[in-house]
Amino acid sequence: MVIGPRQDRRPTMNDVAARAQVGLRTVSRYVNGMTNINPEMAERIRSAIEELGYRRNLAAASIRPGQTSGVIGLVIGDLANPYWAALARSVESVAAETGLLLTIASSEEDGARHDWVVERLLQQQVDMIIDVAPRTVGRSWSHWSPPLPPVVFVDRPGDLAGADTVLADNRGGTRDAVAALLAGGARRIAFVGDDRALHTMDERYEGYLLAHAQHGVVVDPTLVFETSHSSGQAVDLVARLLREGRADALFAANNRAAVGALLAFRTVGTRLPIIGFDDFEAAPLFDPPLSVVAQDVEAMGRAAVRAGLDRLQGDDGPARVQVLPTTLQLRGSERP
Amino acid sequence: MVIGPRQDRRPTMNDVAARAQVGLRTVSRYVNGMTNINPEMAERIRSAIEELGYRRNLAAASIRPGQTSGVIGLVIGDLANPYWAALARSVESVAAETGLLLTIASSEEDGARHDWVVERLLQQQVDMIIDVAPRTVGRSWSHWSPPLPPVVFVDRPGDLAGADTVLADNRGGTRDAVAALLAGGARRIAFVGDDRALHTMDERYEGYLLAHAQHGVVVDPTLVFETSHSSGQAVDLVARLLREGRADALFAANNRAAVGALLAFRTVGTRLPIIGFDDFEAAPLFDPPLSVVAQDVEAMGRAAVRAGLDRLQGDDGPARVQVLPTTLQLRGSERP
DNA sequence: TTGAAAGCGCTAACAC
DNA sequence: GTGTTAGCGCTTTCAA
């Protein structure tokens, strides 16, 4: 009977050390890419690894305090929304550049689910958490018992002191968009958006007010709608607006609202000048092409990972809030 | 001087056991949700956990052979494509139902990158890998040294014996779509697609041929294009086609090609009957609304996770290949 | 530079 | 049912 590893047991570092006739320590140094290893030993280790089909167990390597898991956790609303998908893509891409893996979890905008996911991510020992605070907020971040990995909030501010934040210039972007509509002659611009309890919505609403103020135009409060959670709700709302003829332009405060407005245009058979917030792939394909305030999602993802990485490397300066500029993409739909 | 845990050391199970005055074993059983625990002890443990802010270290729990990590690995082409995003969403959703986390990695359709990502996922001890084989394939899956976690291929077959596979009915879906175009009177239907070396493309091409054969229509090979990797390439191609007037209908074999065709329609100012493969959010918003062959991505993701979970539970039957039906969504663009 | 040995936080035999 | 103890695969003092 042969003495050796069981059939289905994967080879360990010990097996490699034994086979290569070197100490465990040396194998560890080898797989960790350390220099200063006797070339001859290195070669023995290399071939032992190959022959054995050895694969490092990163879970075991990371149980020691102070060790990193090499995994970033990202909590977003929902991968179905192209905006979150784009953010996730950006984060994944930057993470991969650094050799990190990305675990993505959806909060479905629900506080309880968000908290479960965060807890799970923490248990999994992720190196950092990039968090989009959900619409209905759960327990406060500050209630999580330390030590916590670096936390970075994206898109919306969170409630953890010391956490960095990456936001888009919702206010300025909206102001520019609404200003463009006003410059086109519109005077009764409807704001079709979601609940202003959402930080982004509130900021966009402020931008909407600001543009009006700067142009000396008075806002009609009955043209402000905060109930477009989904495109379906926006459809009904915009259809009604079109029939009533009360508005002469539309600002769609997120991509759901924009899609709903376009559907309503089609249903009712008439349209209004419109600008949306958040770009999406199909926006240029409509007739006329949809103008939007585009966020630099790529840059936001990159900035978030960067911030977390800096913290990981010991940066313990005060929390930073980065507000990234938006771009007004005028494609035609802003005209009557 | 107080003897105790260092400030930044997170409490361990040992700390909990000490504080609750119970054995380590009992704490372990408690956090693992086992029943049959003395209620009084359970309460002591519960409060000790709360007071200490104890959090389980799942990485440590999973280093023992046979233990699971509670993480699924998903390898897709790219989160930027709404098709992959939808698949990822589906997988994440099903995973969460089971208490599993999802690590998503993009292969960028590159074999080498795919292999790196898979290796990393294996090192991370994921419980299963759901894999979309990249366009340019790397090393064979069978070269990975066992034992391997369950592997499930989605969208395209892979090269690992014993791995389950979940595919869409590309052939049947395309046949139905092209048949609809033929039924509408089209006789010169262009196939605008990607390289046929891609399994899905080849199947869609077969469906295209099949529909023609069934209708007794001869295919003109000069109407078959395999160079639409991106929407940009499709734009040029379709624009040329429109100017030449050689085709009287279009089958866009993926959503990139469809988007490109629509852009070309706009540029040239004329259009043709068209049906695309893969549904996307904006498809119904075009004028006319884009008809598509829709895959049930939700079901595909679900089936993939299900298959992997079955394997995890000891199912060692022969590899299963599931081909999920597609749906032809006729919305208007198939008409002249 | 290298090797032996002591842990990391947790699970699972093994006795009680 | 509960406590004790021996590992899991790896990193890291500590000597040599």
Side-chain angles (χ1 to χ4, degrees):
Chain A
M1 176 180 163
V2 179
I3 304 293
R6 290 213 325 278
Q7 286 297 335
D8 61 347
R9 186 180 143 282
R10 61 168 73 260
T12 75
M13 219 176 218
N14 251 316
D15 300 329
V16 174
R19 175 154 194 136
Q21 312 251 50
V22 300
L24 186 54
R25 175 76 215 274
T26 314
V27 179
S28 177
R29 300 191 43 168
Y30 177 88
V31 300
N32 280 295
M34 300 206 160
T35 58
N36 296 342
I37 295 186
N38 185 321
E40 193 191 317
M41 286 185 155
E43 172 51 25
R44 288 220 303 276
I45 294 173
R46 197 202 55 69
S47 67
I49 286 178
E50 186 176 321
E51 288 160 24
L52 256 29
Y54 167 75
R55 184 155 49 233
R56 219 169 147 209
N57 183 335
L58 255 28
S62 67
I63 74 172
R64 190 167 287 259
Q67 291 293 113
T68 61
S69 64
V71 181
I72 294 180
L74 172 67
V75 185
I76 56 179
D78 172 6
L79 231 26
N81 188 322
Y83 173 70
W84 303 127
L87 180 67
R89 166 187 157 75
S90 165
V91 171
E92 198 264 343
S93 158
V94 180
E97 286 172 15
T98 325
L100 266 30
L101 246 28
L102 209 224
T103 297
I104 301 178
S106 300
S107 68
E108 311 287 352
E109 295 285 1
D110 176 67
R113 203 175 133 81
H114 169 270
D115 293 347
W116 179 83
V117 152
V118 167
E119 175 65 30
R120 195 67 172 55
L121 252 14
L122 290 174
Q123 291 186 0
Q124 212 72 238
Q125 314 294 112
V126 294
D127 289 342
M128 80 174 82
I129 292 187
I130 298 179
D131 184 39
V132 177
R135 173 194 305 269
T136 65
V137 64
R139 63 189 291 197
S140 163
W141 257 103
S142 50
H143 287 159
W144 254 279
S145 59
L148 249 34
V151 175
V152 182
F153 294 110
V154 179
D155 187 56
R156 312 166 189 168
D159 65 349
L160 179 64
D164 297 316
T165 308
V166 179
L167 305 172
D169 183 12
N170 293 291
R171 202 154 158 280
T174 302
R175 184 201 53 218
D176 294 349
V178 173
L181 290 171
L182 288 166
R187 284 301 172 268
R188 301 188 52 77
I189 306 173
F191 179 94
V192 184
D194 204 337
D195 197 334
R196 246 165 58 208
L198 269 177
H199 176 262
T200 49
M201 275 304 141
D202 196 44
E203 286 201 326
R204 289 171 200 178
Y205 178 65
E206 279 184 15
Y208 168 84
L209 293 184
L210 186 57
H212 280 83
Q214 289 176 342
H215 282 250
V217 178
V218 177
V219 170
D220 178 354
T222 68
L223 288 178
V224 175
F225 302 94
E226 302 184 32
T227 55
S228 298
H229 309 313
S230 69
S231 52
Q233 289 164 306
V235 172
D236 298 341
L237 196 158
V238 172
R240 188 152 37 82
L241 218 41
L242 288 173
R243 294 211 181 84
E244 294 174 354
R246 293 170 47 218
D248 60 6
L250 255 45
F251 175 73
N254 62 30
N255 55 18
R256 299 303 189 202
V259 164
L262 295 180
L263 274 172
F265 288 175
R266 141 144 335 157
T267 309
V268 178
T270 171
R271 63 173 293 278
L272 288 175
I274 181 174
I275 300 183
F277 205 107
D278 287 343
D279 204 2
F280 54 103
E281 192 181 28
L285 300 179
F286 298 117
D287 185 27
L290 181 67
S291 299
V292 296
V293 180
Q295 304 187 41
D296 191 348
V297 192
E298 167 69 27
M300 291 177 71
R302 181 169 298 273
V305 177
R306 187 71 267 155
L309 251 23
D310 286 349
R311 295 298 175 182
L312 236 27
Q313 275 157 21
D315 174 0
D316 57 353
R320 267 183 292 275
V321 177
Q322 298 182 59
V323 178
L324 271 51
T326 57
T327 319
L328 180 58
Q329 304 269 16
L330 293 181
R331 298 180 173 132
S333 71
E334 77 281 6
R335 291 191 291 268
Chain B
M1 175 180 163
V2 179
I3 304 294
R6 288 213 327 275
Q7 287 297 336
D8 61 346
R9 185 180 145 282
R10 61 168 70 265
T12 75
M13 220 175 218
N14 252 316
D15 300 328
V16 174
R19 173 152 195 139
Q21 314 248 50
V22 301
L24 184 56
R25 178 74 216 276
T26 313
V27 180
S28 176
R29 299 191 43 172
Y30 177 88
V31 300
N32 280 295
M34 298 208 161
T35 58
N36 297 341
I37 295 185
N38 184 322
E40 191 192 318
M41 286 184 155
E43 172 51 25
R44 288 221 303 278
I45 294 173
R46 197 202 55 70
S47 68
I49 287 179
E50 186 177 321
E51 289 159 24
L52 256 29
Y54 166 74
R55 184 154 48 231
R56 217 165 151 214
N57 183 335
L58 255 27
S62 67
I63 73 171
R64 191 166 287 260
Q67 291 294 113
T68 60
S69 64
V71 180
I72 295 180
L74 171 66
V75 185
I76 56 179
D78 172 6
L79 231 26
N81 188 322
Y83 174 70
W84 303 128
L87 180 68
R89 167 187 155 76
S90 166
V91 170
E92 198 263 344
S93 159
V94 180
E97 286 172 16
T98 326
L100 267 29
L101 245 29
L102 210 223
T103 297
I104 301 179
S106 299
S107 68
E108 310 288 353
E109 296 286 2
D110 175 66
R113 203 175 133 83
H114 169 271
D115 293 347
W116 179 83
V117 152
V118 167
E119 175 65 31
R120 196 67 172 55
L121 251 14
L122 290 174
Q123 291 185 359
Q124 211 72 238
Q125 313 295 111
V126 295
D127 289 342
M128 79 173 82
I129 293 187
I130 298 179
D131 184 40
V132 177
R135 175 194 303 269
T136 64
V137 64
R139 64 189 289 198
S140 164
W141 257 103
S142 50
H143 287 160
W144 254 280
S145 60
L148 249 32
V151 175
V152 182
F153 294 110
V154 179
D155 187 57
R156 312 167 189 168
D159 65 349
L160 180 64
D164 297 315
T165 308
V166 179
L167 306 172
D169 183 12
N170 293 291
R171 203 156 158 278
T174 304
R175 184 201 53 217
D176 294 348
V178 173
L181 290 171
L182 288 166
R187 285 300 173 267
R188 300 187 53 76
I189 306 173
F191 179 95
V192 183
D194 203 336
D195 198 333
R196 247 164 59 208
L198 269 177
H199 176 262
T200 48
M201 275 303 141
D202 195 45
E203 287 201 324
R204 290 170 200 178
Y205 179 64
E206 279 183 15
Y208 169 84
L209 293 184
L210 186 57
H212 280 83
Q214 288 175 343
H215 281 252
V217 178
V218 177
V219 170
D220 177 354
T222 67
L223 289 177
V224 176
F225 302 93
E226 303 183 31
T227 53
S228 299
H229 309 312
S230 69
S231 53
Q233 289 164 306
V235 173
D236 298 341
L237 196 160
V238 172
R240 189 152 37 84
L241 218 40
L242 288 172
R243 295 211 180 83
E244 294 174 353
R246 293 171 47 217
D248 59 8
L250 254 44
F251 175 74
N254 62 31
N255 55 18
R256 299 304 189 199
V259 164
L262 295 180
L263 273 172
F265 288 175
R266 139 144 334 156
T267 309
V268 179
T270 170
R271 65 172 293 277
L272 288 175
I274 182 174
I275 299 183
F277 204 108
D278 287 342
D279 203 2
F280 55 103
E281 193 181 27
L285 300 179
F286 298 117
D287 186 27
L290 182 66
S291 300
V292 296
V293 180
Q295 305 188 39
D296 191 346
V297 192
E298 167 69 27
M300 291 176 71
R302 183 169 296 274
V305 177
R306 187 70 268 154
L309 251 22
D310 286 348
R311 296 297 176 183
L312 236 28
Q313 275 156 21
D315 174 358
D316 57 352
R320 267 182 293 275
V321 177
Q322 298 183 60
V323 178
L324 272 49
T326 57
T327 319
L328 181 58
Q329 304 267 16
L330 292 181
R331 298 181 172 129
S333 72
E334 77 281 6
R335 290 191 291 269

